[in-house]
């Protein structure tokens, strides 16, 4: 129950964890849903001998990594809690790369592991806001670079384009 509550708090705090990406006219769009949380799957491997437990855990990891996501539906992430012993559990989180990169996954893990009793305040900037800002910076920098590189270049190239080149 505590893990499910922590995952729900995480999804409420980070819009991207409530996103789906429906395609309209062949173009993917992002849609943030008010509520969206993956079901928390649970497995108990504690009764298995250590070798069998490790093999079963490896199968669960492989299955989690190999299962495709339907980006048209929310959410494109999965959570599985695995009981390994009376006081030992493992949480498998599988996120589609469209939701998080390595750096943002670190933020998610840090918040999840903190699991405060009181929910933290809303984020002033969401991941989509940051991504748009970063994309704007990169595009502006690229435009400026290529304008400088191509400054003074002829409008047309003198190379013949009417036949294949070796």
């Amino acid at each position: 129950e505590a893990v499910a509550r922590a995952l729900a708090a995480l999804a409420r705090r980070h819009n991207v964890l409530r996103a789906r990406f429906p395609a309209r006219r062949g173009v993917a769009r992002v849609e943030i849903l008010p509520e969206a949380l993956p079901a928390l799957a649970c497995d108990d491997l504690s009764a298995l001998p250590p070798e069998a437990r490790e093999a079963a855990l490896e199968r669960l990891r492989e299955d989690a990594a190999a299962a495709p996501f339907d980006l048209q539906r929310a959410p494109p992430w999965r959570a599985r809690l695995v009981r390994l012993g009376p006081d030992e559990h493992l949480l498998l989180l599988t996120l589609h790369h469209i939701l998080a990169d390595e750096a943002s996954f670190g933020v998610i893990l840090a918040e999840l592991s903190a699991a405060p009793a009181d929910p933290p305040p809303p984020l002033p900037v969401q991941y989509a806001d940051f991504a748009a800002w970063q994309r704007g910076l990169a595009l502006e920098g690229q435009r400026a670079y290529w304008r400088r590189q191509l400054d003074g270049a002829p409008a047309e190239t003198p190379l013949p384009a009417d036949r294949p080149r070796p």
Side-chain angles (χ1 to χ4, degrees):
E1 290 174 13
V3 172
R5 280 193 309 272
L7 290 171
L10 191 68
R12 279 191 300 275
R13 184 163 158 84
H14 296 275
N15 288 351
V16 72
L17 296 178
R18 292 179 280 115
R20 68 185 195 119
F21 302 87
R24 295 197 182 103
R25 294 187 201 127
V27 177
R29 303 281 184 214
V30 64
E31 186 177 301
I32 306 295
L33 302 172
E35 294 278 328
L37 185 66
L40 177 60
C42 297
D43 294 286
D44 189 348
L45 304 180
S46 62
L48 297 176
E51 304 81 30
R53 185 179 326 131
E54 192 56 42
L57 183 56
E58 187 57 32
R59 277 192 304 280
L60 288 174
R61 285 182 181 134
E62 289 171 2
D63 291 348
F69 288 103
D70 180 358
L71 297 179
Q72 307 256 352
R73 297 171 38 144
W77 61 296
R78 293 185 285 271
R80 179 175 294 279
L81 185 63
V82 183
R83 181 177 185 192
L84 301 173
D87 297 320
E88 186 180 5
H89 295 78
L90 178 77
L91 180 62
L92 294 175
L93 283 179
T94 311
L95 281 80
H96 190 283
H97 200 284
I98 200 168
L99 295 184
D101 58 10
E102 186 177 359
S104 54
F105 190 67
V107 171
I108 289 170
L109 288 179
E111 287 190 20
L112 191 57
S113 64
D118 296 322
L123 293 172
V125 176
Q126 290 289 331
Y127 182 72
D129 301 324
F130 173 75
W133 170 76
Q134 191 177 39
R135 186 172 43 252
L137 281 181
L139 289 177
E140 253 333 289
Q142 289 292 319
R143 277 191 206 109
Y145 171 81
W146 285 109
R147 282 188 183 119
R148 284 191 309 273
Q149 294 298 315
L150 299 173
D151 187 38
E156 291 187 27
T157 179
L159 297 174
D162 60 343
R163 58 186 165 16
R165 304 314 245 160

PDB file of all heavy atoms in Angstrom, residues 68-95:
ATOM      1  N   PRO A  68       6.026  -4.282 -24.929  1.00  0.00           N
ATOM      2  CA  PRO A  68       5.880  -2.981 -25.600  1.00  0.00           C
ATOM      3  C   PRO A  68       4.898  -2.074 -24.859  1.00  0.00           C
ATOM      4  O   PRO A  68       4.091  -2.533 -24.053  1.00  0.00           O
ATOM      5  CB  PRO A  68       5.335  -3.365 -26.975  1.00  0.00           C
ATOM      6  CG  PRO A  68       4.624  -4.657 -26.744  1.00  0.00           C
ATOM      7  CD  PRO A  68       5.388  -5.367 -25.651  1.00  0.00           C
ATOM      8  N   PHE A  69       4.994  -0.799 -25.150  1.00  0.00           N
ATOM      9  CA  PHE A  69       4.054   0.185 -24.612  1.00  0.00           C
ATOM     10  C   PHE A  69       3.132   0.640 -25.735  1.00  0.00           C
ATOM     11  O   PHE A  69       3.562   0.761 -26.872  1.00  0.00           O
ATOM     12  CB  PHE A  69       4.796   1.423 -24.091  1.00  0.00           C
ATOM     13  CG  PHE A  69       5.555   1.182 -22.826  1.00  0.00           C
ATOM     14  CD1 PHE A  69       6.922   1.026 -22.848  1.00  0.00           C
ATOM     15  CD2 PHE A  69       4.898   1.142 -21.610  1.00  0.00           C
ATOM     16  CE1 PHE A  69       7.633   0.831 -21.679  1.00  0.00           C
ATOM     17  CE2 PHE A  69       5.603   0.932 -20.435  1.00  0.00           C
ATOM     18  CZ  PHE A  69       6.973   0.777 -20.464  1.00  0.00           C
ATOM     19  N   ASP A  70       1.899   0.904 -25.406  1.00  0.00           N
ATOM     20  CA  ASP A  70       0.966   1.528 -26.341  1.00  0.00           C
ATOM     21  C   ASP A  70       0.912   3.004 -25.961  1.00  0.00           C
ATOM     22  O   ASP A  70       0.279   3.374 -24.973  1.00  0.00           O
ATOM     23  CB  ASP A  70      -0.410   0.884 -26.226  1.00  0.00           C
ATOM     24  CG  ASP A  70      -1.421   1.495 -27.178  1.00  0.00           C
ATOM     25  OD1 ASP A  70      -1.066   2.445 -27.914  1.00  0.00           O
ATOM     26  OD2 ASP A  70      -2.573   1.034 -27.187  1.00  0.00           O
ATOM     27  N   LEU A  71       1.620   3.839 -26.706  1.00  0.00           N
ATOM     28  CA  LEU A  71       1.722   5.250 -26.367  1.00  0.00           C
ATOM     29  C   LEU A  71       0.403   5.997 -26.517  1.00  0.00           C
ATOM     30  O   LEU A  71       0.256   7.092 -25.999  1.00  0.00           O
ATOM     31  CB  LEU A  71       2.802   5.924 -27.212  1.00  0.00           C
ATOM     32  CG  LEU A  71       4.219   5.403 -26.994  1.00  0.00           C
ATOM     33  CD1 LEU A  71       5.189   6.123 -27.904  1.00  0.00           C
ATOM     34  CD2 LEU A  71       4.630   5.535 -25.550  1.00  0.00           C
ATOM     35  N   GLN A  72      -0.564   5.377 -27.190  1.00  0.00           N
ATOM     36  CA  GLN A  72      -1.875   6.015 -27.350  1.00  0.00           C
ATOM     37  C   GLN A  72      -2.668   5.963 -26.045  1.00  0.00           C
ATOM     38  O   GLN A  72      -3.621   6.701 -25.867  1.00  0.00           O
ATOM     39  CB  GLN A  72      -2.669   5.313 -28.453  1.00  0.00           C
ATOM     40  CG  GLN A  72      -1.934   5.199 -29.744  1.00  0.00           C
ATOM     41  CD  GLN A  72      -2.406   6.185 -30.787  1.00  0.00           C
ATOM     42  OE1 GLN A  72      -3.384   6.876 -30.612  1.00  0.00           O
ATOM     43  NE2 GLN A  72      -1.678   6.247 -31.878  1.00  0.00           N
ATOM     44  N   ARG A  73      -2.273   5.052 -25.166  1.00  0.00           N
ATOM     45  CA  ARG A  73      -2.968   4.898 -23.884  1.00  0.00           C
ATOM     46  C   ARG A  73      -2.042   5.338 -22.769  1.00  0.00           C
ATOM     47  O   ARG A  73      -0.840   5.291 -22.894  1.00  0.00           O
ATOM     48  CB  ARG A  73      -3.341   3.430 -23.679  1.00  0.00           C
ATOM     49  CG  ARG A  73      -4.301   2.911 -24.722  1.00  0.00           C
ATOM     50  CD  ARG A  73      -4.477   1.430 -24.621  1.00  0.00           C
ATOM     51  NE  ARG A  73      -4.494   1.005 -23.232  1.00  0.00           N
ATOM     52  CZ  ARG A  73      -5.239   0.044 -22.756  1.00  0.00           C
ATOM     53  NH1 ARG A  73      -6.013  -0.614 -23.556  1.00  0.00           N
ATOM     54  NH2 ARG A  73      -5.184  -0.298 -21.490  1.00  0.00           N
ATOM     55  N   ALA A  74      -2.597   5.768 -21.677  1.00  0.00           N
ATOM     56  CA  ALA A  74      -1.771   6.195 -20.535  1.00  0.00           C
ATOM     57  C   ALA A  74      -1.753   5.088 -19.511  1.00  0.00           C
ATOM     58  O   ALA A  74      -2.704   4.339 -19.387  1.00  0.00           O
ATOM     59  CB  ALA A  74      -2.345   7.463 -19.924  1.00  0.00           C
ATOM     60  N   PRO A  75      -0.765   5.018 -18.747  1.00  0.00           N
ATOM     61  CA  PRO A  75       0.528   5.694 -18.826  1.00  0.00           C
ATOM     62  C   PRO A  75       1.569   4.776 -19.445  1.00  0.00           C
ATOM     63  O   PRO A  75       1.472   3.564 -19.280  1.00  0.00           O
ATOM     64  CB  PRO A  75       0.859   5.992 -17.371  1.00  0.00           C
ATOM     65  CG  PRO A  75       0.210   4.872 -16.607  1.00  0.00           C
ATOM     66  CD  PRO A  75      -1.007   4.446 -17.423  1.00  0.00           C
ATOM     67  N   PRO A  76       2.563   5.303 -20.127  1.00  0.00           N
ATOM     68  CA  PRO A  76       3.607   4.457 -20.714  1.00  0.00           C
ATOM     69  C   PRO A  76       4.718   4.128 -19.709  1.00  0.00           C
ATOM     70  O   PRO A  76       5.885   4.381 -19.947  1.00  0.00           O
ATOM     71  CB  PRO A  76       4.097   5.249 -21.914  1.00  0.00           C
ATOM     72  CG  PRO A  76       3.774   6.646 -21.608  1.00  0.00           C
ATOM     73  CD  PRO A  76       2.615   6.657 -20.655  1.00  0.00           C
ATOM     74  N   TRP A  77       4.291   3.620 -18.554  1.00  0.00           N
ATOM     75  CA  TRP A  77       5.245   3.117 -17.562  1.00  0.00           C
ATOM     76  C   TRP A  77       4.558   2.032 -16.764  1.00  0.00           C
ATOM     77  O   TRP A  77       3.333   1.936 -16.728  1.00  0.00           O
ATOM     78  CB  TRP A  77       5.805   4.226 -16.699  1.00  0.00           C
ATOM     79  CG  TRP A  77       4.849   5.033 -15.857  1.00  0.00           C
ATOM     80  CD1 TRP A  77       3.840   5.840 -16.295  1.00  0.00           C
ATOM     81  CD2 TRP A  77       4.833   5.117 -14.428  1.00  0.00           C
ATOM     82  NE1 TRP A  77       3.216   6.433 -15.243  1.00  0.00           N
ATOM     83  CE2 TRP A  77       3.800   6.016 -14.090  1.00  0.00           C
ATOM     84  CE3 TRP A  77       5.595   4.548 -13.425  1.00  0.00           C
ATOM     85  CZ2 TRP A  77       3.503   6.340 -12.769  1.00  0.00           C
ATOM     86  CZ3 TRP A  77       5.300   4.880 -12.116  1.00  0.00           C
ATOM     87  CH2 TRP A  77       4.269   5.758 -11.793  1.00  0.00           C
ATOM     88  N   ARG A  78       5.361   1.158 -16.195  1.00  0.00           N
ATOM     89  CA  ARG A  78       4.847   0.021 -15.425  1.00  0.00           C
ATOM     90  C   ARG A  78       5.600  -0.082 -14.109  1.00  0.00           C
ATOM     91  O   ARG A  78       6.767   0.304 -14.011  1.00  0.00           O
ATOM     92  CB  ARG A  78       5.049  -1.283 -16.204  1.00  0.00           C
ATOM     93  CG  ARG A  78       4.220  -1.392 -17.451  1.00  0.00           C
ATOM     94  CD  ARG A  78       4.371  -2.762 -18.098  1.00  0.00           C
ATOM     95  NE  ARG A  78       5.645  -2.904 -18.792  1.00  0.00           N
ATOM     96  CZ  ARG A  78       5.851  -2.576 -20.053  1.00  0.00           C
ATOM     97  NH1 ARG A  78       4.881  -2.059 -20.770  1.00  0.00           N
ATOM     98  NH2 ARG A  78       7.027  -2.755 -20.611  1.00  0.00           N
ATOM     99  N   ALA A  79       4.915  -0.637 -13.119  1.00  0.00           N
ATOM    100  CA  ALA A  79       5.525  -0.862 -11.815  1.00  0.00           C
ATOM    101  C   ALA A  79       5.191  -2.269 -11.346  1.00  0.00           C
ATOM    102  O   ALA A  79       4.051  -2.728 -11.468  1.00  0.00           O
ATOM    103  CB  ALA A  79       5.011   0.168 -10.812  1.00  0.00           C
ATOM    104  N   ARG A  80       6.190  -2.956 -10.821  1.00  0.00           N
ATOM    105  CA  ARG A  80       6.014  -4.325 -10.309  1.00  0.00           C
ATOM    106  C   ARG A  80       6.804  -4.437  -9.015  1.00  0.00           C
ATOM    107  O   ARG A  80       7.996  -4.173  -8.980  1.00  0.00           O
ATOM    108  CB  ARG A  80       6.511  -5.332 -11.329  1.00  0.00           C
ATOM    109  CG  ARG A  80       6.404  -6.787 -10.873  1.00  0.00           C
ATOM    110  CD  ARG A  80       6.805  -7.749 -11.969  1.00  0.00           C
ATOM    111  NE  ARG A  80       5.908  -7.733 -13.098  1.00  0.00           N
ATOM    112  CZ  ARG A  80       4.739  -8.385 -13.165  1.00  0.00           C
ATOM    113  NH1 ARG A  80       4.346  -9.119 -12.154  1.00  0.00           N
ATOM    114  NH2 ARG A  80       3.997  -8.321 -14.242  1.00  0.00           N
ATOM    115  N   LEU A  81       6.121  -4.823  -7.947  1.00  0.00           N
ATOM    116  CA  LEU A  81       6.754  -5.027  -6.652  1.00  0.00           C
ATOM    117  C   LEU A  81       6.992  -6.520  -6.466  1.00  0.00           C
ATOM    118  O   LEU A  81       6.070  -7.322  -6.596  1.00  0.00           O
ATOM    119  CB  LEU A  81       5.863  -4.483  -5.532  1.00  0.00           C
ATOM    120  CG  LEU A  81       6.454  -4.522  -4.135  1.00  0.00           C
ATOM    121  CD1 LEU A  81       7.698  -3.642  -4.045  1.00  0.00           C
ATOM    122  CD2 LEU A  81       5.418  -4.087  -3.113  1.00  0.00           C
ATOM    123  N   VAL A  82       8.227  -6.881  -6.189  1.00  0.00           N
ATOM    124  CA  VAL A  82       8.597  -8.286  -6.049  1.00  0.00           C
ATOM    125  C   VAL A  82       9.070  -8.525  -4.618  1.00  0.00           C
ATOM    126  O   VAL A  82      10.003  -7.871  -4.149  1.00  0.00           O
ATOM    127  CB  VAL A  82       9.718  -8.671  -7.044  1.00  0.00           C
ATOM    128  CG1 VAL A  82      10.045 -10.160  -6.935  1.00  0.00           C
ATOM    129  CG2 VAL A  82       9.320  -8.308  -8.469  1.00  0.00           C
ATOM    130  N   ARG A  83       8.417  -9.453  -3.955  1.00  0.00           N
ATOM    131  CA  ARG A  83       8.836  -9.817  -2.596  1.00  0.00           C
ATOM    132  C   ARG A  83       9.873 -10.931  -2.708  1.00  0.00           C
ATOM    133  O   ARG A  83       9.623 -11.983  -3.269  1.00  0.00           O
ATOM    134  CB  ARG A  83       7.637 -10.294  -1.777  1.00  0.00           C
ATOM    135  CG  ARG A  83       8.019 -10.643  -0.373  1.00  0.00           C
ATOM    136  CD  ARG A  83       6.844 -11.040   0.442  1.00  0.00           C
ATOM    137  NE  ARG A  83       7.295 -11.232   1.816  1.00  0.00           N
ATOM    138  CZ  ARG A  83       6.580 -11.798   2.735  1.00  0.00           C
ATOM    139  NH1 ARG A  83       5.367 -12.222   2.467  1.00  0.00           N
ATOM    140  NH2 ARG A  83       7.071 -11.943   3.938  1.00  0.00           N
ATOM    141  N   LEU A  84      11.051 -10.657  -2.175  1.00  0.00           N
ATOM    142  CA  LEU A  84      12.146 -11.624  -2.224  1.00  0.00           C
ATOM    143  C   LEU A  84      12.321 -12.339  -0.892  1.00  0.00           C
ATOM    144  O   LEU A  84      12.894 -13.426  -0.841  1.00  0.00           O
ATOM    145  CB  LEU A  84      13.446 -10.921  -2.612  1.00  0.00           C
ATOM    146  CG  LEU A  84      13.416 -10.202  -3.956  1.00  0.00           C
ATOM    147  CD1 LEU A  84      14.686  -9.391  -4.161  1.00  0.00           C
ATOM    148  CD2 LEU A  84      13.210 -11.188  -5.086  1.00  0.00           C
ATOM    149  N   GLY A  85      11.880 -11.726   0.167  1.00  0.00           N
ATOM    150  CA  GLY A  85      11.987 -12.289   1.509  1.00  0.00           C
ATOM    151  C   GLY A  85      11.097 -11.498   2.440  1.00  0.00           C
ATOM    152  O   GLY A  85      10.451 -10.536   2.028  1.00  0.00           O
ATOM    153  N   PRO A  86      11.067 -11.873   3.719  1.00  0.00           N
ATOM    154  CA  PRO A  86      10.179 -11.191   4.662  1.00  0.00           C
ATOM    155  C   PRO A  86      10.436  -9.682   4.740  1.00  0.00           C
ATOM    156  O   PRO A  86       9.507  -8.898   4.873  1.00  0.00           O
ATOM    157  CB  PRO A  86      10.463 -11.857   6.008  1.00  0.00           C
ATOM    158  CG  PRO A  86      11.298 -13.045   5.719  1.00  0.00           C
ATOM    159  CD  PRO A  86      11.847 -12.921   4.340  1.00  0.00           C
ATOM    160  N   ASP A  87      11.680  -9.274   4.654  1.00  0.00           N
ATOM    161  CA  ASP A  87      12.024  -7.859   4.740  1.00  0.00           C
ATOM    162  C   ASP A  87      12.784  -7.368   3.516  1.00  0.00           C
ATOM    163  O   ASP A  87      13.510  -6.378   3.587  1.00  0.00           O
ATOM    164  CB  ASP A  87      12.885  -7.606   5.996  1.00  0.00           C
ATOM    165  CG  ASP A  87      12.128  -7.913   7.270  1.00  0.00           C
ATOM    166  OD1 ASP A  87      10.934  -7.581   7.338  1.00  0.00           O
ATOM    167  OD2 ASP A  87      12.730  -8.501   8.184  1.00  0.00           O
ATOM    168  N   GLU A  88      12.612  -8.052   2.405  1.00  0.00           N
ATOM    169  CA  GLU A  88      13.342  -7.685   1.187  1.00  0.00           C
ATOM    170  C   GLU A  88      12.388  -7.651   0.001  1.00  0.00           C
ATOM    171  O   GLU A  88      11.736  -8.645  -0.314  1.00  0.00           O
ATOM    172  CB  GLU A  88      14.467  -8.693   0.924  1.00  0.00           C
ATOM    173  CG  GLU A  88      15.354  -8.302  -0.225  1.00  0.00           C
ATOM    174  CD  GLU A  88      16.463  -9.316  -0.477  1.00  0.00           C
ATOM    175  OE1 GLU A  88      16.497 -10.374   0.180  1.00  0.00           O
ATOM    176  OE2 GLU A  88      17.301  -9.030  -1.345  1.00  0.00           O
ATOM    177  N   HIS A  89      12.316  -6.478  -0.615  1.00  0.00           N
ATOM    178  CA  HIS A  89      11.451  -6.280  -1.778  1.00  0.00           C
ATOM    179  C   HIS A  89      12.237  -5.560  -2.861  1.00  0.00           C
ATOM    180  O   HIS A  89      13.197  -4.852  -2.577  1.00  0.00           O
ATOM    181  CB  HIS A  89      10.226  -5.441  -1.411  1.00  0.00           C
ATOM    182  CG  HIS A  89       9.319  -6.121  -0.445  1.00  0.00           C
ATOM    183  ND1 HIS A  89       9.587  -6.191   0.899  1.00  0.00           N
ATOM    184  CD2 HIS A  89       8.156  -6.771  -0.636  1.00  0.00           C
ATOM    185  CE1 HIS A  89       8.623  -6.848   1.513  1.00  0.00           C
ATOM    186  NE2 HIS A  89       7.739  -7.208   0.595  1.00  0.00           N
ATOM    187  N   LEU A  90      11.793  -5.732  -4.092  1.00  0.00           N
ATOM    188  CA  LEU A  90      12.407  -5.058  -5.233  1.00  0.00           C
ATOM    189  C   LEU A  90      11.284  -4.425  -6.040  1.00  0.00           C
ATOM    190  O   LEU A  90      10.272  -5.064  -6.309  1.00  0.00           O
ATOM    191  CB  LEU A  90      13.170  -6.071  -6.086  1.00  0.00           C
ATOM    192  CG  LEU A  90      13.813  -5.518  -7.340  1.00  0.00           C
ATOM    193  CD1 LEU A  90      15.086  -4.767  -6.990  1.00  0.00           C
ATOM    194  CD2 LEU A  90      14.110  -6.630  -8.309  1.00  0.00           C
ATOM    195  N   LEU A  91      11.466  -3.166  -6.405  1.00  0.00           N
ATOM    196  CA  LEU A  91      10.491  -2.482  -7.239  1.00  0.00           C
ATOM    197  C   LEU A  91      11.069  -2.357  -8.641  1.00  0.00           C
ATOM    198  O   LEU A  91      12.125  -1.757  -8.837  1.00  0.00           O
ATOM    199  CB  LEU A  91      10.175  -1.087  -6.673  1.00  0.00           C
ATOM    200  CG  LEU A  91       9.172  -0.259  -7.466  1.00  0.00           C
ATOM    201  CD1 LEU A  91       7.801  -0.943  -7.511  1.00  0.00           C
ATOM    202  CD2 LEU A  91       9.064   1.131  -6.872  1.00  0.00           C
ATOM    203  N   LEU A  92      10.381  -2.941  -9.600  1.00  0.00           N
ATOM    204  CA  LEU A  92      10.778  -2.823 -11.005  1.00  0.00           C
ATOM    205  C   LEU A  92       9.958  -1.703 -11.625  1.00  0.00           C
ATOM    206  O   LEU A  92       8.732  -1.785 -11.671  1.00  0.00           O
ATOM    207  CB  LEU A  92      10.500  -4.121 -11.769  1.00  0.00           C
ATOM    208  CG  LEU A  92      11.297  -5.356 -11.379  1.00  0.00           C
ATOM    209  CD1 LEU A  92      10.807  -6.570 -12.156  1.00  0.00           C
ATOM    210  CD2 LEU A  92      12.767  -5.130 -11.633  1.00  0.00           C
ATOM    211  N   LEU A  93      10.618  -0.658 -12.060  1.00  0.00           N
ATOM    212  CA  LEU A  93       9.961   0.440 -12.762  1.00  0.00           C
ATOM    213  C   LEU A  93      10.425   0.405 -14.206  1.00  0.00           C
ATOM    214  O   LEU A  93      11.623   0.418 -14.470  1.00  0.00           O
ATOM    215  CB  LEU A  93      10.334   1.794 -12.162  1.00  0.00           C
ATOM    216  CG  LEU A  93       9.670   2.200 -10.872  1.00  0.00           C
ATOM    217  CD1 LEU A  93      10.183   3.558 -10.423  1.00  0.00           C
ATOM    218  CD2 LEU A  93       8.173   2.225 -11.007  1.00  0.00           C
ATOM    219  N   THR A  94       9.489   0.371 -15.117  1.00  0.00           N
ATOM    220  CA  THR A  94       9.813   0.379 -16.533  1.00  0.00           C
ATOM    221  C   THR A  94       9.122   1.586 -17.147  1.00  0.00           C
ATOM    222  O   THR A  94       7.904   1.681 -17.118  1.00  0.00           O
ATOM    223  CB  THR A  94       9.320  -0.917 -17.220  1.00  0.00           C
ATOM    224  OG1 THR A  94       9.753  -2.037 -16.458  1.00  0.00           O
ATOM    225  CG2 THR A  94       9.848  -1.017 -18.627  1.00  0.00           C
ATOM    226  N   LEU A  95       9.916   2.507 -17.668  1.00  0.00           N
ATOM    227  CA  LEU A  95       9.390   3.723 -18.288  1.00  0.00           C
ATOM    228  C   LEU A  95       9.804   3.766 -19.741  1.00  0.00           C
ATOM    229  O   LEU A  95      10.947   3.449 -20.072  1.00  0.00           O
ATOM    230  CB  LEU A  95       9.960   4.979 -17.605  1.00  0.00           C
ATOM    231  CG  LEU A  95       9.354   5.411 -16.297  1.00  0.00           C
ATOM    232  CD1 LEU A  95       9.895   4.582 -15.161  1.00  0.00           C
ATOM    233  CD2 LEU A  95       9.645   6.867 -16.066  1.00  0.00           C
TER     234      LEU A  95
END
